Amino acid sequence: MNHLVSNAFQTFINEAPNHAKAWMEAVQKLDKGSALDKKTEELAYIAVLAAARLESGIPFHVKSAKANGASREEIISAVLVGLPAVGNVVTSSLPKALEAYDHE
């Protein structure tokens, strides 16, 4: 199993392959429709995940952001950008984000 994909998402892929395929096709189409470059899109997605408290997706998207040129400081800023809107709940994602960034 891919260590960057949560157990829940891996179970979704394994146990509901038709749904997973449809979901991934939609995700790919949405990705193609974005006017954002890949790094910016990943940083924005990290911010959304942190604000929504969906920490299981953080490692995958941090690695993707890093691969697309995001710095450690940009990852921190992406996690914390939601502070004014949703409060300090976003800080709970910071350790997982930094662990993913720092782990080679």
Side-chain angles (χ1 to χ4, degrees), residues 49-94:
L49 290 173
R53 301 181 187 181
L54 297 172
E55 292 179 29
S56 65
I58 294 281
F60 180 87
H61 290 283
V62 165
K63 290 292 190 184
S64 182
K66 183 178 180 181
N68 283 283
S71 70
R72 193 173 194 273
E73 293 75 21
E74 288 174 313
I75 298 297
I76 293 169
S77 292
V79 169
L80 299 178
V81 75
L83 273 169
V86 298
N88 72 348
V89 298
V90 297
T91 63
S92 66
S93 296
L94 199 53

Side-chain angles (χ1 to χ4, degrees), residues 7-72:
N7 183 46
F9 197 75
Q10 191 63 53
T11 301
F12 171 58
I13 291 168
N14 293 341
E15 300 298 329
N18 291 333
H19 288 83
K21 181 180 179 214
W23 177 259
M24 292 310 297
E25 287 172 359
V27 167
Q28 290 169 356
K29 288 178 181 178
L30 289 166
D31 187 48
K32 287 179 184 171
S34 177
L36 299 174
D37 63 84
K38 190 63 175 166
K39 180 180 101 170
T40 303
E41 186 173 355
E42 288 293 355
L43 291 169
Y45 203 78
I46 291 165
V48 170
L49 290 173
R53 301 181 187 181
L54 297 172
E55 292 179 29
S56 65
I58 294 281
F60 180 87
H61 290 283
V62 165
K63 290 292 190 184
S64 182
K66 183 178 180 181
N68 283 283
S71 70
R72 193 173 194 273

